[in-house]
Amino acid sequence: MAKEEGILLSPGRKTRSSSFSLSSSLPQNHRTFFSHTHLELLHGHCHSEESISLDTLTSSLPGRKPQIHEILRLIGPLNSPMLPLLLYGGPSTGKTISVLQTFRYLNRPFVYAGCRTCYCPRILFNSVLRQLLIREKNAGKGSSGARRCEKPSEFIDLLRISLIQVVNALRERNLKLGSEESDRGNMIYLIFDNVELLRLWDKSSTIVPLLLRLSEILKIPELGIIYISSSSPDAYYLCTGSIEPIPVYFPDYSLEDLHGIFMRNQSNPNLYSSFLSVVLKPFYRVTRRVDELSVAFHPLFEKYCDPLSDQCLVLDEAMKRRLFDNLQPHLASSLNDVFWVPSWASHQLKQEGEHRQKRFWKSIRKEASNELDFHMSMSVKYLLLSAFIAARNPATLDASLFDSSGGSNNPKRKRNLQTSLDKKDNMAEEILLKGPGSFPLERLLAIFQCITSVAESMVEDDHFENDFAIENENFQLTSDVLLQLSALCNANFLCKSGSCPLEGSTRYRCTIDEEMAVKVARSINFPLSSYLYRR
Amino acid sequence: MVRSPPPIRDSPSSPIAAVDASEVSDNNLQPFFVLHKARRKSERKSSASGRTKRNVDMPPSFPNPSVQGENEAIYERLRLEAFDLTWSKIDSAVKEVLMEINMALFEEILQWVFESFSTIKSMSPSEIMMPYPVATGATCKRIPTAMVLTKNIEFVDDLLTFQDLKGYMQSNGCHATYLSALDLSIKHGIGICLKSLCRQLGLEDSDAVDVPLIASWYCEPENYHKPIVVIIDGMERCNGAVLADFIKLLSEWVMKIPIIFIMGVTTTSDAPRKLLPSTVLHNLQPFMFTMESPRRRMDSLIEAVLLRSCSRFFIGHKVAVFLRNHFIKHDGTITSFLKVLKIACVKHFTGEPLSFFCSDMLPEDCEAFLSAKSESLTEDLQSYAFDLQSCQSEKPAGSNNLAQGLLELKRLQNSWTAVVLCLFEVGKLSKIQLLDIFCEAIDPSLCNERDVGQQLLSPLTPSHKVDAKTFSVKGSLIPQVIQKVRELPSESLCHLLSQWSLHVEEMIEIGEQVRDLHSKINLPQNGHISTGKPVDSIDRPLASSVMGESTPSLNDEVAILLVCMVRNFLVPIESVPFHEIVCFKDVAALKSFLIGDPRGVMQDDLLKSDGYLQSTSCGRRESDLSSSTHDTAILYNLAQEHDDLINLHDWYQSFKIKILIPRTKSKRKTQHLRSSPASKKGKFTSLENEATTQARFCRAVTELQITGLVRMPSKRRPDFLQRISFGL
C-alpha cells in the first residue's frame, strides 16, 4: 500500500517549481503542467475515502437505483473502453452525487471539473490539467515559469500528452503490483459537471463543440468521458455534429424517494416521519427539488417540535394531532414564502422565552405592514412617486392631469378630466396589461415639479405641519434631485432602460409595486390614487 | 462620516472678480460652465490672492503695512487656529459617536459569525483539497448571510461603516474581505470578484484565480480554523447576474471553505428576492441585522456636537431649521449634515472677526485668559464687539465687559443644553426627535412666549388636555413634552429623573430639586427600581398600589419642575448678548453652497452672457442682442420669444438677421468708401456667409441640446424643436 501515501497536494503546492521537464520536443510553455512534484495525484483521490459496496451505494441514494445501474452498465467492467455519457435531469436530482459515489464504489481514477467553479475556459483547462499531474521522471531538469494553458489547441496537446502519461503510469503500476492490486484498471475518466453553463461562456462558439468532441479528437481508448448537465441533450445537438454521447436521464424524485432521502440520518426517525407525512405532500405539489425542500422543511420542523418537551418520546395519535394543529397555520404561509429573512435579534429572543418572542414577532409584523422601515428624504419620496405615476399613466394624459395652476379643486378641470378619462379608458386598461412604461427624464422632472407644487399648496392650506416645515422654496429643481434619481436607481426602484436611439436620451422605468408606492404616499400624505388612472 | 473636502473651493483661476466672493464659490459648485469666461487683465492679481481676500475683511494689498495690518494678520492666524481646533474637536466627537453607535451592531455580527462558523462543518485539509464536491450529507449548500439593513436609501454614510466592520472582523480573528458593489458589475464579471477576494486574503497575485486556490490557501495552518467573512457593501447596487454567479460558485465550496457573507441592504429585506433568482436564494441562509436609523444617528450627533460642549461653536435658529429641513427633505445623510456643519464652521470663522474667542472659551478656567485677551483687543475690534446687534438691543446692566459677557454666555448656554437634554429624555419616550426639540428650543421667539408654560402649570383637567392638543397642532413640542411628563407611569418617571440628575449636575439648585423628587419616588421601593430586575417584578404590584395615590402629585411636581427649567434656563442663544461671536446665523450663505441649481444657473448665464464674455458691446443696453454675443446665447435669447415648440426655420432666420445686421452695416460703410465693388465677388461672399451662418447655427443648437435646453425634432414634427425649461 505504499502507493497510497501520495495524497493529493497535501505537502503543499509551494514546491511545485522544483519540477521536471518533458521531452525537449515540447514547446516551452507546455512544460508548466508537468512541473509538479506530486507523483500519485490521481491515485490519491480515491484513497482518501474508503470504497463502498454496491449495497451502500444504492441505499445511500434512494430512488436512483436504476440510474446507477445504467451508469455502471455503460461504464462497463474494468479496462473496457466506453462511449461518452451525458447524464441529464433537472437541478437537484442527484446527478453529481450519483456519479461520484459510483466512482467511489468502482474505485477507479477520475478527474472532476465543474464548470461552475471553473468559470472560464482557461481555468477549466488548467483545472483539468492540474489534476492530471504526471509522475515525474527527470526531476530537476529545469523548470519553466508559471505560464498557463490559454488556447483550446494548447489544451488538447497538453491533455493528450498528460493522458498518455497517466495511462502509461497506470499500466505500469498494474503490472508491477500484479493481480491483487489491479482492480483499478488503466482507464481514466473525465467528469465535466454543469455543462449547461458552457453555453453561456462564449456564445457556445468553440468551447462546447470542443468539449463534446473530446473523445473523438483525442482518440485514446483508455479515456472515458462523462458530462453532467441539467439541460437535455437536445441543447447540444446543434453544436457538435459528431457522435452523440449516450444520454442517461435522471427524473425528478417521486414522493417515496423524497421520503427516503429526508429520512436519512435522522436522530428521531419516528418523529420526523410523522412530520414528513404532514409536510411532504403539500410541498411536493410546489417543488420536487431536494435543496428547496430541505430549506423549507428546516424551520417548519423546528416549529413542529416546539410543543414537545422531550424529542425522544414516542408519539401517539393524539400527540400527532396536536402537533399538526400547531403547525397548520405556518404551513400555508411557508408554502408561499420564497425567501424569509429572520432577524438575528429575534433568533436570540427565541432562546430566551417563547412568550416574549411572540410579542416581538407581532410588533415586527405590524410595523412591516404599515410603515416604510427605511429612511428616504421627502424629495426622494416625491421623486419615486412621480416615477411611479409616470410609469403607470400614459404620457398623453399628463396634460389633463397636471395643469399649470396645480390646484386640484377646480371643478371645470375635473369635468374635463372625467371626459378624457372616459375616452382613454381602453388605453388605461391596455397600459395596465403592459406593465410599467418607460419615460424620459424630462417627463419625470415635470411631474415631480407638478406634484411637489401641489403638495406645498396643500400644506399651506391645511396648516397641519409644524411652523417651520412650511418653507416654499424647498422643492426647487436642484442638482440634488438628479443625485436622488441616481440613488433611486441604485436601490433598484428605478431602472434605466436602453436609451432610445431615435431620441438619444435615457429612459427610465419604475419597478416598485403599488403596495410600496401606497406606503410611500401615505408617509407624506400624498393623494396618490387621484393621480393614477385605473378602471 | 466621510470627510468632505474642504468646502472652500478656492479657484485662483476664477476670473469674475467683479462679483463678490460668495457668488464665485456658488458658481464653482456647478458641475460645468457652458461658456468660457474671459479674463479681465486688471483682476488677475487680486484673484490670485483670492484666499486671503476672503478671509480678511481688509483688502489684501493694504496700501502701507501699518500696525493695524500686522494686528490683522495676527487675528487672522488666531481665527484659523480657532477653526482648526474647533473642527478637529467636532470631527473627533463625530467619529467617536459613530463608532459607539456601530459597535453594538458589530459585536452582534461577530457573535453571529462565530456561531454560524461552528455550524459549518470543518473538514480535514485533505478533504478540502479534493476538486470534487463533498458527497456526503450536503443536501443543500447554504452560505450564512447577514443582511445588514442600513435603513437609508442613500448609501454614502455606510461605505465607511462597512470598512470599519472589515477592520473589526479582522482584529477579532476572522479573515475579512470587502467587495464594493462596483466589483460585482457586469463589466468585470466574476473573475474580478475572486481576484479581489484573493488579494485581500493575502494570496500571491496570479492572473487566473479560482476557488481551489483559496482552498489551498485556507489549508495552510496559519489560516485554518478562521471564518472567511466576505462583506459586500450595497447589495442592491450589484449586478444581479454576477452576484448570483458569485454566490452559486462559493456555495459549491461552502462545506469546505467557511465563507460567510455580510451584505448591506439599503431598502427592505425583500431586496434580495428582487435581485436574485430563487435558485440562488436557496443558497443563502439569511439573518437580518439592522443598523441604527439615520434619525437616531442624527440625534446622537446633534447631542455630541451641538449640545455637549465639545466645541464652543453654535448655530442660530434659522440655520438649525435649514439643517433640519435639508435633512428631512433633501438629503438624509450624515455626510451631508457634516458637510453643512463644516461649511457653517468655515464661514463663521472666516466671516466673524471675533470668532477666535470660540476656542478660548473651551477650558473650564478661561476667565482670566478671556479678560486678558479682551483687554488687549484693538480699538476697532472693541468697538465692533460692543456694536454687535445683540449688545445694542439688550444692553445688560453694567456689563460692558466683553469677557464677562462671554462667560455669561457660556453659563447660559450650559444650562440651556442641560434643559434641552432633559426635554429630549422625555421626547425619547414619545418618539420626538432631538433635532426637532433642538430647533424649537433655539428659536429666539421662545423668549417672548414664556407665559406659555404658565397655562401648563395648572393641574390636569380635560379642558387642558384640549389645550395641549391645540398646541400640538400649532407644532410646539415643548408643551407636548410637558404634557407627556404628566402622563408618565411611575416607573419611567423614576428612570427619567435619574437621567435628569445626570444632565443637571452643573445647575446646583435644579439638581437638588431633581434629587429630591427622585428620592421621593424611590422611597417605597428601596432604591431598587432601576437596577434589580427580579426585585422589580416582585415589587411592582406593591409599588403601583402605593403610587396609585401619590402619582398625580408627583407627576405634576416633575412637570412643574420642567416648566420652571424651561422658563428660567431655556434661553435661546440668539437672545444673549455677544452671541454673534460664537453663533453662526447666515442661512443664505449655506443655501448658496448646498443647493446647486445647474439648470437655473445655466439658463441665467446664457441670458447674461455678455457680462461674462466682456464683449465689445458691453456698454450697450442690457437686453439688446448684438452680433458679437456668443452664438449659443443669441439662440437661447431668441428661443425665449418662442413657445415651447420652436420652428426651426423661423429660428434660423431670426438668428441670421441678428448676426448679419452689423456686418452689412459695416459693409455699406466700406462700400461707400470704395468706389467699385465687384458684384460677382459679393455674391460669392454671401454664399460663403450663408454656409458659415448655417454652421454656426448648427453648432449653437447642438450646444443647447447637449446642455439639455432643447430637444431635437421628433419624427412626427421634423420642423420643430422642443424647448425644455424648468425652474425659471
Side-chain angles (χ1 to χ4, degrees):
Chain A
M1 303 296 274
K3 293 285 175 250
E4 294 172 17
E5 291 165 11
I7 289 172
L8 165 71
L9 295 183
S10 51
R13 294 139 56 88
K14 285 175 180 170
T15 49
R16 209 190 298 161
S17 53
S18 66
S19 58
F20 83 108
S21 70
L22 215 69
S23 60
S24 53
S25 64
L26 267 178
Q28 185 67 26
N29 62 338
H30 285 191
R31 284 183 200 160
T32 335
F33 294 101
F34 312 108
S35 62
H36 297 256
T37 48
H38 299 292
L39 315 177
E40 299 285 336
L41 171 125
L42 302 165
H43 325 140
H45 281 205
C46 302
H47 288 264
S48 58
E49 288 174 353
E50 283 172 27
S51 67
I52 49 176
S53 69
L54 187 58
D55 279 347
T56 17
L57 172 65
T58 47
S59 65
S60 71
L61 298 166
R64 294 289 89 130
K65 195 172 174 184
Q67 283 79 27
I68 289 171
H69 282 292
E70 178 81 1
I71 294 172
L72 284 175
R73 189 179 63 78
L74 289 169
I75 288 178
L78 212 57
N79 295 334
S80 62
M82 63 174 275
L83 285 170
L85 292 185
L86 174 68
L87 315 185
Y88 71 99
S92 190
T93 46
K95 300 179 294 291
T96 306
I97 197 172
S98 298
V99 172
L100 290 175
Q101 293 290 72
T102 307
F103 272 93
R104 199 170 152 195
Y105 156 70
L106 289 173
N107 199 9
R108 296 184 198 173
F110 69 94
V111 165
Y112 174 89
C115 297
R116 170 95 54 198
T117 302
C118 311
Y119 53 89
C120 70
R122 201 168 58 146
I123 288 178
L124 180 70
F125 297 159
N126 287 319
S127 169
V128 171
L129 292 171
R130 201 166 50 211
Q131 291 178 56
L132 281 173
L133 298 176
I134 309 171
R135 159 174 299 171
E136 175 179 343
K137 285 176 183 158
N138 315 331
K141 267 200 176 175
S143 63
S144 59
R147 286 175 66 184
R148 290 179 173 243
C149 170
E150 305 264 348
K151 292 178 199 156
S153 55
E154 288 174 355
F155 172 62
I156 296 295
D157 280 352
L158 291 168
L159 188 64
R160 187 195 307 279
I161 293 160
S162 46
L163 276 174
I164 290 171
Q165 299 245 350
V166 169
V167 169
N168 285 341
L170 283 173
R171 199 171 283 149
E172 234 173 75
R173 195 191 56 165
N174 286 344
L175 284 178
K176 240 193 264 173
L177 286 173
S179 56
E180 84 273 22
E181 262 294 326
S182 64
D183 60 338
R184 303 189 64 193
N186 48 19
M187 286 286 288
I188 174 107
Y189 299 91
L190 289 184
I191 301 173
F192 292 102
D193 202 350
N194 296 326
V195 182
E196 75 276 359
L197 292 176
L198 288 177
R199 290 180 298 162
L200 306 173
W201 281 2
D202 54 355
K203 308 284 181 290
S204 72
S205 57
T206 54
I207 185 82
V208 175
L210 177 82
L211 279 193
L212 287 181
R213 286 164 57 195
L214 212 52
S215 69
E216 248 178 285
I217 297 170
L218 290 171
K219 289 208 173 67
I220 300 175
E222 288 88 357
L223 177 70
I225 301 180
I226 296 171
Y227 306 101
I228 303 173
S229 157
S230 60
S231 49
S232 70
D234 308 346
Y236 306 103
Y237 282 153
L238 287 175
C239 311
T240 61
S242 63
I243 306 170
E244 290 156 20
I246 302 167
V248 178
Y249 179 55
F250 279 65
D252 283 347
Y253 287 115
S254 69
L255 206 56
E256 292 75 38
D257 301 338
L258 286 175
H259 193 272
I261 289 169
F262 282 106
M263 286 308 292
R264 287 180 309 170
N265 310 324
Q266 286 301 331
S267 55
N268 186 351
N270 200 355
L271 180 64
Y272 204 79
S273 157
S274 69
F275 167 70
L276 282 183
S277 67
V278 176
V279 170
L280 198 52
K281 260 202 186 130
F283 273 90
Y284 183 69
R285 267 180 247 132
V286 181
T287 177
R288 295 166 191 198
R289 294 179 50 171
V290 181
D291 52 354
E292 289 183 357
L293 286 174
S294 73
V295 168
F297 285 173
H298 186 69
L300 280 178
F301 185 60
E302 275 177 11
K303 287 211 181 79
Y304 188 75
C305 295
D306 261 351
L308 291 177
S309 50
D310 176 20
Q311 296 206 2
C312 300
L313 93 184
V314 183
L315 294 176
D316 52 355
E317 277 307 310
M319 194 64 194
K320 273 185 192 169
R321 185 78 221 159
R322 230 189 78 204
L323 290 180
F324 174 69
D325 288 343
N326 189 42
L327 190 67
Q328 186 77 27
H330 303 291
L331 209 56
S333 68
S334 98
L335 271 171
N336 288 325
D337 256 348
V338 183
F339 188 63
W340 167 240
V341 188
S343 119
W344 178 242
S346 73
H347 182 78
Q348 283 179 322
L349 272 183
K350 194 165 66 183
Q351 291 162 357
E352 284 172 24
E354 180 72 12
H355 185 67
R356 270 184 72 186
Q357 189 210 353
K358 261 185 191 160
R359 222 168 35 187
F360 185 80
W361 278 119
K362 252 183 205 164
S363 67
I364 279 191
R365 285 271 157 94
K366 212 180 258 175
E367 205 176 329
S369 60
N370 287 329
E371 283 174 34
L372 276 180
D373 52 356
F374 57 94
H375 181 91
M376 279 199 278
S377 54
M378 291 262 264
S379 64
V380 175
K381 283 177 183 168
Y382 275 113
L383 198 63
L384 186 58
L385 286 179
S386 40
F388 184 71
I389 292 170
R392 279 301 166 88
N393 293 349
T396 44
L397 292 188
D398 280 354
S400 58
L401 252 186
F402 310 102
D403 68 346
S404 55
S405 72
S408 55
N409 39 10
N410 188 351
K412 192 180 165 194
R413 198 180 70 90
K414 239 177 199 168
R415 212 181 311 129
N416 284 343
L417 197 124
Q418 197 56 44
T419 51
S420 70
L421 224 178
D422 292 341
K423 256 188 235 166
K424 315 270 171 145
D425 237 10
N426 292 331
M427 201 168 153
E429 199 175 335
E430 197 183 309
I431 279 175
L432 210 63
L433 283 176
K434 274 182 187 166
S438 67
F439 45 87
L441 180 64
E442 288 84 21
R443 189 172 160 224
L444 174 68
L445 293 181
I447 294 180
F448 176 71
Q449 282 222 316
C450 285
I451 65 173
T452 48
S453 65
V454 170
E456 268 161 27
S457 63
M458 262 171 46
V459 168
E460 272 170 20
D461 289 346
D462 297 350
H463 284 292
F464 267 138
E465 297 275 317
N466 293 345
D467 289 339
F468 32 74
I470 303 169
E471 284 204 7
N472 289 335
E473 62 227 299
N474 269 317
F475 288 112
Q476 289 165 344
L477 194 66
T478 62
S479 57
D480 280 353
V481 174
L482 299 179
L483 281 180
Q484 283 151 4
L485 190 70
S486 74
L488 284 176
C489 287
N490 278 332
N492 283 338
F493 286 163
L494 295 187
C495 65
K496 277 187 202 175
S497 43
S499 59
C500 171
L502 282 178
E503 219 164 351
S505 62
T506 321
R507 294 179 76 86
Y508 294 83
R509 197 183 290 270
C510 179
T511 59
I512 61 169
D513 51 358
E514 187 151 357
E515 195 186 348
M516 171 91 175
V518 168
K519 261 189 212 172
V520 173
R522 201 187 292 136
S523 71
I524 49 175
N525 289 326
F526 178 75
L528 179 66
S529 52
S530 58
Y531 287 93
L532 286 183
Y533 280 110
R534 60 179 87 228
R535 295 262 321 134
Chain B
M1 212 153 166
V2 179
R3 275 199 64 165
S4 52
I8 294 188
R9 277 149 224 219
D10 207 317
S11 60
S13 64
S14 85
I16 338 146
V19 236
D20 68 342
S22 71
E23 202 172 314
V24 171
S25 36
D26 183 17
N27 278 337
N28 282 353
L29 266 185
Q30 310 310 322
F32 50 84
F33 287 106
V34 182
L35 302 165
H36 294 285
K37 290 170 180 170
R39 279 160 176 265
R40 203 181 278 169
K41 274 178 196 164
S42 57
E43 295 294 345
R44 266 192 198 164
K45 270 181 197 166
S46 70
S47 69
S49 54
R51 181 180 290 271
T52 47
K53 188 187 174 188
R54 193 162 313 133
N55 291 342
V56 190
D57 299 318
M58 301 282 146
S61 52
F62 206 71
N64 42 346
S66 63
V67 185
Q68 201 182 357
E70 271 174 32
N71 276 339
E72 200 45 61
I74 291 171
Y75 289 130
E76 170 67 30
R77 198 170 46 81
L78 279 177
R79 280 193 285 265
L80 252 178
E81 277 169 11
F83 167 73
D84 282 342
L85 190 69
T86 310
W87 184 250
S88 66
K89 289 229 173 203
I90 291 178
D91 203 38
S92 59
V94 165
K95 275 186 186 137
E96 217 169 273
V97 167
L98 290 178
M99 200 61 206
E100 199 179 307
I101 291 174
N102 289 333
M103 206 32 100
L105 178 74
F106 286 2
E107 279 163 9
E108 204 183 338
I109 290 180
L110 187 74
Q111 190 195 348
W112 166 81
V113 162
F114 277 104
E115 209 158 297
S116 28
F117 176 55
S118 64
T119 60
I120 299 179
K121 275 175 210 146
S122 51
M123 301 176 161
S124 67
S126 62
E127 270 179 308
I128 292 173
M129 290 312 301
M130 285 187 306
Y132 50 87
V134 190
T136 46
T139 42
C140 186
K141 298 151 274 190
R142 303 181 81 192
I143 306 178
T145 307
M147 301 277 171
V148 183
L149 299 184
T150 58
K151 291 275 186 185
N152 193 348
I153 196 166
E154 310 269 0
F155 61 89
V156 244
D157 288 347
D158 306 314
L159 293 179
L160 275 188
T161 311
F162 284 110
Q163 290 280 13
D164 289 346
L165 182 61
K166 180 190 169 188
Y168 181 78
M169 289 290 160
Q170 269 171 340
S171 60
N172 282 289
C174 306
H175 301 296
T177 56
Y178 175 86
L179 294 180
S180 81
L182 290 178
D183 289 331
L184 291 149
S185 68
I186 194 86
K187 202 172 103 193
H188 300 310
I190 197 170
I192 292 293
C193 314
L194 281 178
K195 202 175 250 184
S196 158
L197 207 66
C198 288
R199 205 178 44 242
Q200 292 182 55
L201 288 173
L203 273 73
E204 77 263 41
D205 227 7
S206 66
D207 51 343
V209 184
D210 53 359
V211 192
L213 202 65
I214 301 177
S216 68
W217 169 85
Y218 180 69
C219 286
E220 285 166 26
E222 70 266 26
N223 303 324
Y224 200 60
H225 281 311
K226 272 181 177 183
I228 300 178
V229 179
V230 180
I231 301 171
I232 297 175
D233 60 3
M235 129 172 233
E236 280 109 328
R237 281 172 291 131
C238 298
N239 181 284
V242 178
L243 184 62
D245 273 353
F246 190 57
I247 292 171
K248 267 280 177 202
L249 172 63
L250 291 181
S251 70
E252 302 239 311
W253 289 81
V254 74
M255 300 307 284
K256 301 180 179 177
I257 315 173
I259 284 176
I260 291 169
F261 275 131
I262 297 176
M263 292 191 193
V265 179
T266 55
T267 52
T268 54
S269 53
D270 266 4
R273 205 168 59 188
K274 289 179 186 161
L275 193 70
L276 300 171
S278 73
T279 47
V280 177
L281 287 178
H282 283 297
N283 288 319
L284 297 178
Q285 188 180 13
F287 274 104
M288 193 162 65
F289 294 85
T290 38
M291 282 193 186
E292 202 64 85
S293 72
R295 281 171 179 249
R296 287 290 317 282
R297 280 170 187 244
M298 195 64 164
D299 281 352
S300 353
L301 272 189
I302 298 261
E303 189 178 335
V305 175
L306 294 176
L307 287 178
R308 308 252 180 221
S309 48
C310 77
S311 67
R312 289 283 159 192
F313 170 68
F314 302 103
I315 54 174
H317 173 242
K318 279 188 179 153
V319 176
V321 170
F322 172 74
L323 270 181
R324 175 182 171 279
N325 281 338
H326 190 75
F327 179 74
I328 292 177
K329 297 197 170 171
H330 284 288
D331 191 355
T333 57
I334 306 296
T335 314
S336 78
F337 170 74
L338 290 181
K339 193 171 88 184
V340 180
L341 200 64
K342 189 163 188 180
I343 291 170
C345 211
V346 169
K347 283 262 166 195
H348 178 70
F349 281 95
T350 51
E352 173 59 46
L354 287 174
S355 55
F356 47 81
F357 277 114
C358 281
S359 59
D360 297 336
M361 284 165 65
L362 264 178
E364 289 296 318
D365 50 347
C366 55
E367 191 172 351
F369 185 66
L370 270 183
S371 55
K373 198 161 189 176
S374 55
E375 294 294 311
S376 66
L377 282 182
T378 56
E379 287 284 311
D380 280 356
L381 286 179
Q382 287 270 10
S383 64
Y384 168 82
F386 290 102
D387 283 347
L388 284 174
Q389 207 182 359
S390 60
C391 233
Q392 283 179 334
S393 59
E394 212 177 301
K395 201 105 184 171
S399 92
N400 278 338
N401 190 348
L402 179 59
Q404 284 305 320
L406 285 175
L407 281 176
E408 175 69 10
L409 176 78
K410 185 178 171 182
R411 193 186 60 79
L412 283 174
Q413 193 55 34
N414 278 344
S415 42
W416 181 85
T417 301
V419 177
V420 171
L421 284 175
C422 288
L423 286 173
F424 178 52
E425 284 299 333
V426 188
K428 269 181 194 166
L429 299 169
S430 46
K431 287 188 180 164
I432 299 176
Q433 256 200 292
L434 176 59
L435 193 53
D436 296 342
I437 296 182
F438 181 82
C439 283
E440 191 169 314
I442 211 170
D443 189 354
S445 59
L446 192 75
C447 256
N448 312 326
E449 292 170 7
R450 287 276 173 76
D451 44 301
V452 163
Q454 200 65 49
Q455 287 175 319
L456 287 152
L457 275 173
S458 48
L460 185 65
T461 57
S463 65
H464 279 92
K465 254 186 186 167
V466 176
D467 259 351
K469 259 178 199 162
T470 54
F471 278 133
S472 71
V473 168
K474 258 170 87 184
S476 40
L477 293 168
I478 294 173
Q480 277 184 42
V481 165
I482 293 168
Q483 185 61 32
K484 177 80 187 173
V485 170
R486 300 177 165 215
E487 293 158 1
L488 276 183
S490 60
E491 212 173 314
S492 38
L493 196 64
C494 176
H495 180 70
L496 183 72
L497 283 173
S498 65
Q499 290 293 321
W500 279 11
S501 60
L502 295 178
H503 293 315
V504 294
E505 259 174 356
E506 286 181 15
M507 300 148 72
I508 297 152
E509 67 274 34
I510 295 289
E512 269 173 14
Q513 289 184 38
V514 169
R515 267 191 296 281
D516 276 355
L517 283 173
H518 197 210
S519 59
K520 266 189 205 172
I521 224 172
N522 264 349
L523 259 173
Q525 288 166 12
N526 308 324
H528 272 304
I529 212 161
S530 52
T531 49
K533 270 180 196 165
V535 184
D536 187 34
S537 59
I538 297 164
D539 276 1
R540 197 178 293 147
L542 178 76
S544 59
S545 67
V546 172
M547 285 294 136
E549 293 153 23
S550 60
T551 301
S553 67
L554 253 182
N555 272 5
D556 270 355
E557 272 182 58
V558 178
I560 288 168
L561 176 63
L562 186 58
V563 171
C564 276
M565 274 155 60
V566 169
R567 287 173 70 195
N568 297 331
F569 295 105
L570 203 64
V571 184
I573 187 159
E574 279 174 83
S575 53
V576 181
F578 298 120
H579 74 266
E580 283 95 340
I581 294 175
V582 292
C583 177
F584 178 72
K585 298 197 292 186
D586 189 4
V587 196
L590 267 191
K591 264 185 198 163
S592 68
F593 257 115
L594 271 179
I595 301 179
D597 184 10
R599 264 173 194 270
V601 171
M602 220 146 60
Q603 296 175 30
D604 236 27
D605 283 352
L606 276 174
L607 289 177
K608 293 183 222 147
S609 67
D610 275 354
Y612 296 125
L613 287 172
Q614 308 298 319
S615 66
T616 50
S617 60
C618 231
R620 290 189 183 201
R621 285 195 313 270
E622 279 275 308
S623 57
D624 204 16
L625 275 177
S626 73
S627 67
S628 58
T629 315
H630 192 273
D631 291 348
T632 317
I634 295 179
L635 259 191
Y636 186 73
N637 274 301
L638 289 172
Q640 299 301 305
E641 294 158 15
H642 288 267
D643 207 8
D644 271 0
L645 287 177
I646 305 168
N647 185 300
L648 211 53
H649 183 72
D650 291 352
W651 206 18
Y652 172 68
Q653 287 304 330
S654 45
F655 174 74
K656 193 166 121 188
I657 291 165
K658 277 280 184 248
I659 62 169
L660 285 184
I661 292 169
R663 196 169 294 172
T664 46
K665 267 183 196 165
S666 60
K667 241 176 212 167
R668 262 176 217 149
K669 269 181 198 167
T670 50
Q671 275 171 11
H672 278 296
L673 286 175
R674 288 182 190 175
S675 50
S676 62
S679 62
K680 208 178 178 183
K681 198 181 173 187
K683 212 174 188 178
F684 180 69
T685 47
S686 79
L687 262 178
E688 190 188 41
N689 274 342
E690 188 74 26
T692 48
T693 313
Q694 281 181 12
R696 286 167 69 180
F697 179 75
C698 284
R699 199 183 67 175
V701 172
T702 317
E703 276 186 15
L704 283 181
Q705 191 208 0
I706 290 170
T707 48
L709 297 174
V710 297
R711 197 195 281 170
M712 282 287 133
S714 62
K715 258 202 293 190
R716 213 186 303 163
R717 283 199 196 114
D719 302 342
F720 286 89
L721 280 113
Q722 199 170 6
R723 192 157 66 96
I724 306 165
S725 59
F726 290 108
L728 269 190

